[in-house]
Amino acid sequence: MTNQQGPLAPAEGKLGILLPGMGAVATTLIAGVLAARKGTAQPIGSLTQMGKLRTSTGNPLIKDYAPLTPLDDIEFGGWDVYEDNVYEAALHAGVLDYKTLKGVRAEMEAIVPMKAAFDLHYVKNLDGTHIKTYTTKEDLAQQVIDDIRNFKAERGCSRLVMVWCGSTEIYHEPTETHRTLAAFEEGLRNNASNIAPSMIYAYAALKEGVPFVNGAPNLTVDVPALLELAATTQTPVAGKDFKTGQTLMKTIVAPGLSARSLGVRGWFSTNILGNRDGLVLDDPDNFRTKEVSKLSVLDSVFHPEENPELYGNMYHKVRINYYPPAGDNKESWDNIDIFGWMGYPMQIKINFLCRDSILAAPLVLDLALFMDLAKRAGWSGIQEWLSFYLKSPQAEPNVRPEHDIFKQLVTLHNTLRLLMGEEPVAAASQEVYQDGPQA
Amino acid sequence: MTNQQGPLAPAEGKLGILLPGMGAVATTLIAGVLAARKGTAQPIGSLTQMGKLRTSTGNPLIKDYAPLTPLDDIEFGGWDVYEDNVYEAALHAGVLDYKTLKGVRAEMEAIVPMKAAFDLHYVKNLDGTHIKTYTTKEDLAQQVIDDIRNFKAERGCSRLVMVWCGSTEIYHEPTETHRTLAAFEEGLRNNASNIAPSMIYAYAALKEGVPFVNGAPNLTVDVPALLELAATTQTPVAGKDFKTGQTLMKTIVAPGLSARSLGVRGWFSTNILGNRDGLVLDDPDNFRTKEVSKLSVLDSVFHPEENPELYGNMYHKVRINYYPPAGDNKESWDNIDIFGWMGYPMQIKINFLCRDSILAAPLVLDLALFMDLAKRAGWSGIQEWLSFYLKSPQAEPNVRPEHDIFKQLVTLHNTLRLLMGEEPVAAASQEVYQDGPQA
Amino acid sequence: MTNQQGPLAPAEGKLGILLPGMGAVATTLIAGVLAARKGTAQPIGSLTQMGKLRTSTGNPLIKDYAPLTPLDDIEFGGWDVYEDNVYEAALHAGVLDYKTLKGVRAEMEAIVPMKAAFDLHYVKNLDGTHIKTYTTKEDLAQQVIDDIRNFKAERGCSRLVMVWCGSTEIYHEPTETHRTLAAFEEGLRNNASNIAPSMIYAYAALKEGVPFVNGAPNLTVDVPALLELAATTQTPVAGKDFKTGQTLMKTIVAPGLSARSLGVRGWFSTNILGNRDGLVLDDPDNFRTKEVSKLSVLDSVFHPEENPELYGNMYHKVRINYYPPAGDNKESWDNIDIFGWMGYPMQIKINFLCRDSILAAPLVLDLALFMDLAKRAGWSGIQEWLSFYLKSPQAEPNVRPEHDIFKQLVTLHNTLRLLMGEEPVAAASQEVYQDGPQA
Amino acid sequence: MTNQQGPLAPAEGKLGILLPGMGAVATTLIAGVLAARKGTAQPIGSLTQMGKLRTSTGNPLIKDYAPLTPLDDIEFGGWDVYEDNVYEAALHAGVLDYKTLKGVRAEMEAIVPMKAAFDLHYVKNLDGTHIKTYTTKEDLAQQVIDDIRNFKAERGCSRLVMVWCGSTEIYHEPTETHRTLAAFEEGLRNNASNIAPSMIYAYAALKEGVPFVNGAPNLTVDVPALLELAATTQTPVAGKDFKTGQTLMKTIVAPGLSARSLGVRGWFSTNILGNRDGLVLDDPDNFRTKEVSKLSVLDSVFHPEENPELYGNMYHKVRINYYPPAGDNKESWDNIDIFGWMGYPMQIKINFLCRDSILAAPLVLDLALFMDLAKRAGWSGIQEWLSFYLKSPQAEPNVRPEHDIFKQLVTLHNTLRLLMGEEPVAAASQEVYQDGPQA
Ligand SMILES: NC(=O)c1ccc[n+]([C@@H]2O[C@H](COP(=O)([O-])OP(=O)(O)OC[C@H]3O[C@@H](n4cnc5c(N)ncnc54)[C@H](O)[C@@H]3O)[C@@H](O)[C@H]2O)c1
Ligand SMILES: NC(=O)c1ccc[n+]([C@@H]2O[C@H](COP(=O)([O-])OP(=O)(O)OC[C@H]3O[C@@H](n4cnc5c(N)ncnc54)[C@H](O)[C@@H]3O)[C@@H](O)[C@H]2O)c1
Ligand SMILES: NC(=O)c1ccc[n+]([C@@H]2O[C@H](COP(=O)([O-])OP(=O)(O)OC[C@H]3O[C@@H](n4cnc5c(N)ncnc54)[C@H](O)[C@@H]3O)[C@@H](O)[C@H]2O)c1
Ligand SMILES: NC(=O)c1ccc[n+]([C@@H]2O[C@H](COP(=O)([O-])OP(=O)(O)OC[C@H]3O[C@@H](n4cnc5c(N)ncnc54)[C@H](O)[C@@H]3O)[C@@H](O)[C@H]2O)c1
Ligand code: NA
Ligand code: NA
């Protein structure tokens, strides 16, 4: 991350949040922000709206501490392969009930997705037809850039951010095409098959200096070519994969076991989910992307290489199962085989009956608001301080990403304190170390 | 806590660990330390033995960083109402299997409890007869003091610590007797009924300048009179109730929910346990002491008064059930009713198949070694920095005890850094804030 | 049970179902029957409506096999201490959502409870004031008789049944007052304190020849005096306590373990529930009644006295906890400690996220329809063949009640076959023994 | 099944139980029988040893009712690809602990497997080398026949049975080779690749008139060719797949839901297991065989075609995961989505911490003893009455196999009653219908 620290620009005017993919997560986000504005629902789970932070002078709400865009100043837009307006899409997603949606129906109906940049090769099992046609991928990217500009002008936004809420694309490794910006742009002109739709959106956003977040585990902006572009246009990026559900629980429980020097022999995680996201993930190639994202978590908390007696033989297995009866109510079951004093075994079993999109929506909001803040602060490149929100945090090549949610939170807090001109150091010690030894 | 910081005295000579109560926890501790010395078992779960700490220069094992007493220099002693030697007591407790015990049998048989200071009024359901007779409680305290001195001399110890591992005594509130040292000593002379056996041990230890830890939820050393004595004799104290099992999980999971600003409507906790500890707790008065200890935990993590929308209506219920088939394999089941975005409900269910004494034993070891360190550092009074190990951490009157295990750990680490002459502040920032924004 | 077998009277005219207690269960029943009539919901869980039975000629629906009252011919009435109409009471109970209730709102609003025969001594924690005043309990009983007659006349019913759906009354043992009808009627005149309100309703019903079912675990009709009255007026009775939730699961799983000769060392059952029923059960005296009802189940399935090696040392513990966040969504957690080959231990853990009233409502319907059938068949006294529906089946003094749900079902089926003039025996063999050894 | 009913031959002399596959299940069986003989362990889970049966005259133990071979008269033998004796194999399997095995060590060491008829194509992941060499499969079958004869002679057995306890072979469909005995024998001569090793053992057994049971889900004896051979030699057969663990629970719980007319929308089942059986099942082809066996269960209990409103849309998914930390302690987790009155949803979650071989061992014993009984009774062909023990009961072509464990048990009981000359019918009514309506 690069920090061209000048004065922090104020949050004047409207912020447009652009969402490629207006499915369960995106529509839940929109409904909640609209309802919160009316005071009919609370944005629970959002650190920017409900969270507090200990400072030198008190314990304010984060939104009162840092100059974030108020909810009233947000405009929503996006793209999808289905032409349903956001209200219809929300009904289809089945996350929020009819009673909740009724109160914001008109505003939601007014939000209609633009035609998607889409490719069935990257997302199987979808049959939407609200899709852009194009000659070259360069042409396609230009169409998205035009969409961005039109949206900004029509809605009178002063600033924009983009958060990928589209389906998980299939697993693919970075290639030559993704190594430099030049190669990538060459690929756009040649319709290189390994440029995924999500990369088209990311390219368009970065080209326009619009901060880009990747909420799915896709490669997307996690390639040198697009990081080069971000550097060129001084644009912040973040990814990958919203940290919700089982992985959230993992990054809570694992640090606790590690804190106590308890060993782990095995961790078996299974998930059942039945929404459209699950349908897409039912294809093995799309599954693969998600599984890779989920598997890295434990090692980075336990550091088995440094603690071989405790974590050297840990067997970690993650399963995702498409199970339609669950609907959006994703459910996870974890069996954790631990051992303690003299090696004696114990077990922890965790059954999380979660609602995926309910957990994800506030993350999109927070990420959007913080990315806009970062942009106004003159920061660019990978925003590691937002790892708190992400399952596989992107990091600079030589940096080991931190997964421990408690360390991630301190980092986030300290970054805010720094930005607001407080001693991060003092703040940290203040926070975590209240009543230390004194004379 | 008071800090007469002089030079840290070295860990020369032998450290005697005195255990009032040589039941499941104490015998598991002893077997494990003996086996670890022989290299036949690992002291898993012990931070002092297996844990590491990030310092300015690296990531050393704590035992290599701070001058703790090596396991080889420990001597064990104690008291119990049953006359079984420690090997027989361990067989009876049924925590460790025969194969484990076989290898340290001779050493364990050599450790025989002294006669207990005991009162059936405070611990029901026990039928042991290995009990001191006495005229006044002053006389009784003196007998314990004599035991301490004899043990020290016979075993050639240079230093001692005492850790209460006796049964949970019944619930009682502090009275006038406990308000001043003078009143307490008057009570000893008058056989005041509200001086519990555990207080006799604590009094004797503190009188002798021996650091005292209370591993049970009893009042014991959590009264002004004994804190006055600790101040007088410059002795460190800590309590109450080893943090294991369900409460351990709670102080791991609750901070995670709070970190994410997720609301909690209800937390139902039930426990089934079948060992002697459970038998004692089957008496309502003894149960009460434990329940009080377990209930305070959540409020101190969630601060409902500051976050009423998230935690203001939380319903918290804890149940402990004596269930003989469980034996020492205490098991807990938690149902947590949380809510997220727009108030939508979700649930987390945690089933912890734990082994109580396996979790508790390493805590006794760590507490003993750290209390000895504190003593050598010239610290006295309540050692809040050891809250990490305790279910209801004792704290100075006007201080809110911290329950969040992650904050407790940072405090513990920083205290060690301070003691070793590092910048705690720098250390903290080092640890928690690795890759912040740079130019 | 006595069987004055004459010709089976047809189900002509309307059947009135009278419900003392119009809370969660009663209102859920009524809403469901009304919706089923309109074809907007299905009466799932009702054997009379959805169940089938293998006969000599086929596999018909039970309602097509036996001459039961059709749903269209049912009228509902009842009593409660709250004056809310049934629609309001249903909203308050919170079992069915607004959308479900909307479609039957008008019909439900038209049903208004009559004033209750009530006594705070028997049901604590209620503050309703819609209560009959009276001089003697004889007078009170007469008022209920008048209510019954008026209801029958006003609604033009040809037949009636009564099902107690009131709160659980406190635990009390039968006394002299309950030994003979004469003593009981003497008690009515003298305001004997041990005549509970539920007994007033039962007395009134039986006096009028109206079949009476007790859906709660109260004593009620399980006393010689009222059985004498039932014999006198040739009226069928059944009880006690609808078999739902955890006990339902128990009578399913326990026969399975027994079938396999697997041993059981312990069965720990805990429940959390948050509705008005739970509030009443939060009083220890009311709890007691329920606990007694729940504890007897296992013994009657396992017969420990006959199978001491397998079940002789079983430790069975049941806990009920009032936990408001659960609402009507009662939840149970069972831990079952079993053992197999050579005594090796295993565990089964069952978490049932049930909806209490959703499970209970169809039982009320079935019991009402079957009791009316019994009456038309000329049967009277305890209807053991309906044990299938009940947690503590009432039985003749010297008969051990059967709890195994599978045996109970065969009994129910065979009783119907018998009634319809089929060979019960043949039917049984037909059903359970399809492909036996042949030449 | 064919029933050449003559007089039931007595259980004179010794019964040899031959086990192809001497791994976890087989060695656990043998240790248990040996220990039971010495009176040091009980054969829990065995119906023949611990189970009772209601007859016209009482409630005797099954072993006292039917003339079964006593445990003292059993001889064990078998084959494996590893040359370890049975004691070593048991240690390796890790089911029974050292203390249990010690007492029967000498007897177990004396039992050494014969060289296996083996083919890596059918069972992957095994590296044993204790394997027969052969020219044609006809030759190989002859070697097994010779083994059988030698064993019988050497051990002085009067009767034999064979129970396949070998690893699960890969999934394959029956072909022409399996259609007639002639084609099969032609295949033996031509080394037909689709003749699996388990078929060689089955062929050899049936050829010798030795009853054959298939404890794995392999095709094995479930092909016309071998049934033809069984008919020719008048030999009983049974299969497939011991009913243990998750499937056992399913066939207990599903009948309970069906009894109550509760609907099922989804049933998700996951398993984690870590023994050699799991290692073999980690190969997709071997997995497939097991999954097919597990999936059929629910349909046959629920009959969705006859009960479409309740079970027509049920989504059933089964997963098996190799997870080494579990060892032989296979664990299953089921999530069952049910619905009740008016379609309201509920959930049941079952976590079974089972020990696979502990559950399977008594089934092998029972099957062996009952198959020998069948043989002595003159029965031959498929023994449907033993479906109680099997996950995918073999049945005659036009017969739908029964999976409901309670119906299976009645069938088993009635078959025994029939055999012993009682009225099965009367017995059935006696058992299931105790206190019906009488005058
Ligand atoms: N808790 C969570 O819900 C969670 C957590 C982590 C990550 N995610 C990720 O967030 C993403 C969104 O999840 P969701 O539950 O809303 O899924 P969803 O299936 O409901 O919505 C995704 C939408 O993206 C659309 N889409 C697909 N490709 C597109 C394209 N190229 N352009 C425009 N639209 C496109 C689909 O039509 C669909 O409407 C998924 O990738 C998911 O893996 C979600
Ligand atoms: N995880 C845990 O095991 C855990 C956690 C927190 C707290 N604790 C507490 O630690 C204590 C010990 O637990 P345990 O499992 O070893 O119990 P235990 O019952 O096995 O051992 C306690 C021993 O103390 C003895 N005792 C009682 N009163 C005494 C007295 N006045 N003097 C001397 N001996 C006395 C008893 O005879 C018994 O042998 C209990 O108070 C328990 O509540 C244990
Ligand atoms: N699954 C189940 O819901 C279930 C299962 C078994 C038994 N039961 C029993 O069924 C009964 C009803 O359960 P519920 O959930 O509907 O409870 P509820 O509390 O919602 O309803 C009971 C109603 O009875 C009324 N009442 C109390 N005493 C009365 C009296 N003397 N006369 C008239 N009304 C009176 C109360 O005011 C209340 O409205 C309870 O006894 C409960 O224990 C319920
Ligand atoms: N609960 C249970 O354990 C259970 C339940 C149902 C079915 N089963 C089935 O029973 C069988 C045995 O289970 P296990 O746990 O004992 O497995 P295991 O892996 O411990 O033992 C199987 C043994 O069979 C041997 N083997 C494989 N192919 C052979 C061949 N052709 N000839 C001779 N030996 C051969 C292997 O070497 C191994 O020792 C498996 O097929 C399993 O699927 C077991
Ligand atoms: Na409980
Ligand atoms: Na799985």
Side-chain angles (χ1 to χ4, degrees), chain C residues 19-27 79-82 89 93 114-119 123 126 128 164-169 197-198 201 215-218 241-245 275-278 280-281 290 328 330 354-361 363 391:
Chain C
L19 305 162
M22 306 193 86
V25 171
T27 58
W79 297 263
D80 207 288
V81 307
Y82 296 97
M114 299 176 270
K115 281 193 174 172
F118 184 71
D119 183 344
V123 176
L126 293 189
W164 171 265
C165 292
S167 312
T168 300
E169 295 175 336
S198 66
Y201 290 101
N218 322 316
D241 213 4
F242 303 127
K243 178 146 84 178
T244 57
N275 56 13
R276 194 188 282 164
D277 186 30
V280 167
L281 292 173
K290 200 73 167 189
D328 192 65
K330 180 155 119 190
C354 89
R355 295 170 188 261
D356 235 16
S357 307
I358 292 294
L359 287 176
L363 309 192
K391 218 171 267 163

Side-chain angles (χ1 to χ4, degrees), chain B residues 29-352:
Chain B
L29 163 72
I30 294 170
V33 169
L34 295 174
R37 277 189 203 166
K38 299 190 170 182
T40 58
Q42 300 230 44
I44 313 287
S46 160
L47 211 69
T48 57
Q49 308 305 307
M50 310 288 297
K52 294 179 171 179
L53 171 110
R54 209 166 292 271
T55 69
S56 51
T57 57
N59 193 25
L61 284 170
I62 287 176
K63 67 174 177 178
D64 295 336
Y65 179 67
L68 301 173
T69 305
L71 297 190
D72 283 341
D73 293 350
I74 293 175
E75 288 285 325
F76 290 103
W79 299 262
D80 207 287
V81 307
Y82 295 98
E83 64 197 339
D84 295 344
N85 65 47
V86 166
Y87 175 75
E88 286 160 351
L91 278 184
H92 180 272
V95 177
L96 302 175
D97 55 31
Y98 174 75
K99 225 173 83 189
T100 308
L101 291 172
K102 216 172 43 180
V104 288
R105 176 170 181 166
E107 295 89 326
M108 290 186 76
E109 282 177 339
I111 304 175
V112 180
M114 299 176 268
K115 281 194 175 173
F118 184 70
D119 182 346
L120 253 180
H121 171 69
Y122 281 92
V123 176
K124 313 275 164 61
N125 297 348
L126 293 190
D127 58 3
T129 56
H130 188 59
I131 295 174
K132 290 187 198 309
T133 52
Y134 60 93
T135 51
T136 64
K137 292 195 176 180
E138 186 178 45
D139 159 33
L140 183 60
Q142 190 54 49
Q143 292 185 45
V144 177
I145 289 173
D146 293 344
D147 286 348
I148 294 173
R149 292 182 183 166
N150 291 339
F151 177 86
K152 191 172 180 183
E154 280 171 18
R155 302 296 176 97
C157 295
S158 66
R159 303 172 323 280
L160 299 174
V161 297
M162 187 185 287
V163 185
W164 171 264
C165 292
S167 313
T168 300
E169 295 175 334
I170 62 169
Y171 186 77
H172 60 133
E173 301 269 351
T175 64
E176 274 306 301
T177 314
H178 308 102
R179 233 172 40 80
T180 63
L181 182 55
F184 187 88
E185 294 188 329
E186 175 71 17
L188 285 178
R189 283 185 293 274
N190 299 339
N191 280 344
S193 68
N194 48 17
I195 295 184
S198 65
M199 290 168 173
I200 302 283
Y201 291 102
Y203 174 83
L206 297 179
K207 212 54 189 170
E208 294 291 295
V210 172
F212 182 89
V213 180
N214 180 11
N218 322 315
L219 208 50
T220 311
V221 80
D222 195 10
V223 295
L226 293 176
L227 292 176
E228 188 185 331
L229 177 56
T232 312
T233 60
Q234 293 288 330
T235 316
V237 301
K240 303 185 293 202
D241 213 2
F242 303 128
K243 178 146 86 177
T244 57
Q246 190 175 58
T247 305
L248 173 61
M249 280 305 295
K250 260 184 194 165
T251 60
I252 291 171
V253 172
L257 300 175
S258 161
R260 273 293 174 94
S261 294
L262 291 167
V264 179
R265 278 194 314 141
W267 195 309
F268 175 77
S269 301
T270 197
N271 293 276
I272 50 183
L273 75 170
N275 54 14
R276 193 188 282 165
D277 185 31
L279 182 63
V280 167
L281 292 173
D282 210 26
D283 178 82
D285 295 334
N286 298 76
F287 252 35
R288 177 85 188 113
T289 309
K290 200 72 168 190
E291 239 156 27
V292 166
S293 167
K294 282 166 161 273
L295 273 172
S296 61
V297 169
L298 289 187
D299 280 2
S300 108
V301 174
F302 288 132
H303 302 309
E305 69 293 352
E306 292 176 19
N307 304 290
E309 305 98 328
L310 296 174
Y311 310 111
N313 288 315
M314 181 175 65
Y315 191 96
H316 185 198
K317 195 156 193 162
V318 178
R319 283 279 170 273
I320 308 176
N321 304 283
Y322 180 53
Y323 174 73
D328 191 65
N329 298 340
K330 179 154 119 192
E331 186 170 337
S332 64
W333 183 74
D334 283 82
N335 170 60
I336 317 170
D337 282 286
I338 68 173
F339 57 96
W341 193 241
M342 308 184 80
Y344 273 67
M346 294 169 280
Q347 292 192 318
I348 302 170
K349 285 138 203 309
I350 302 180
N351 182 204
F352 191 178

Side-chain angles (χ1 to χ4, degrees), chain A residues 268 270 319 321, chain D residues 268 270 319 321:
Chain A
F268 174 77
T270 196
R319 283 281 170 270
N321 304 283
Chain D
F268 175 77
T270 197
R319 283 280 170 270
N321 304 283

Side-chain angles (χ1 to χ4, degrees), chain B residues 265-268 270-272 282 315 317 319 321-325 331-333 335 337 347 349 351 353, chain C residues 265-268 270 272 282 315 317 319 321-325 331-333 335-337 347 349 351 353:
Chain B
R265 278 194 314 141
W267 195 309
F268 175 77
T270 197
N271 293 276
I272 50 183
D282 210 26
Y315 191 96
K317 195 156 193 162
R319 283 279 170 273
N321 304 283
Y322 180 53
Y323 174 73
E331 186 170 337
S332 64
W333 183 74
N335 170 60
D337 282 286
Q347 292 192 318
K349 285 138 203 309
N351 182 204
L353 290 84
Chain C
R265 278 193 314 141
W267 195 310
F268 174 77
T270 196
I272 53 183
D282 210 26
Y315 191 94
K317 192 154 195 165
R319 283 281 170 269
N321 304 282
Y322 180 53
Y323 174 72
E331 187 170 335
S332 63
W333 182 74
N335 171 62
I336 317 170
D337 282 286
Q347 291 192 317
K349 284 136 204 309
N351 182 204
L353 289 84

Side-chain angles (χ1 to χ4, degrees), chain A residues 19-27 79-82 89 93 114-119 123 126 128 164-169 197-198 201 215-218 241-245 275-278 280-281 290 328 330 354-361 363 391:
Chain A
L19 306 162
M22 305 192 87
V25 171
T27 58
W79 297 263
D80 208 288
V81 307
Y82 295 97
M114 300 176 269
K115 281 194 175 172
F118 184 70
D119 183 346
V123 177
L126 294 190
W164 171 265
C165 290
S167 313
T168 299
E169 295 175 335
S198 65
Y201 290 101
N218 321 316
D241 214 2
F242 303 128
K243 177 146 87 178
T244 58
N275 55 13
R276 193 188 282 165
D277 184 31
V280 167
L281 292 173
K290 201 71 167 189
D328 191 64
K330 179 155 119 192
C354 89
R355 295 170 188 259
D356 236 16
S357 305
I358 292 295
L359 287 176
L363 309 192
K391 218 171 266 160

Side-chain angles (χ1 to χ4, degrees), chain A residues 265-268 272 315 317 319 321-325 331 333 335 337 347 349 351 353, chain D residues 265-268 272 315 317 319 321-325 331 333 335 337 347 349 351 353:
Chain A
R265 277 195 314 141
W267 195 309
F268 174 77
I272 52 183
Y315 191 94
K317 193 155 194 164
R319 283 281 170 270
N321 304 283
Y322 180 54
Y323 174 72
E331 187 172 335
W333 183 73
N335 170 61
D337 282 286
Q347 291 192 317
K349 285 138 203 307
N351 183 206
L353 290 83
Chain D
R265 278 194 315 140
W267 196 311
F268 175 77
I272 51 183
Y315 191 96
K317 194 155 193 163
R319 283 280 170 270
N321 304 283
Y322 180 53
Y323 173 73
E331 187 171 336
W333 183 73
N335 170 62
D337 283 285
Q347 292 192 317
K349 284 138 205 308
N351 182 205
L353 289 84

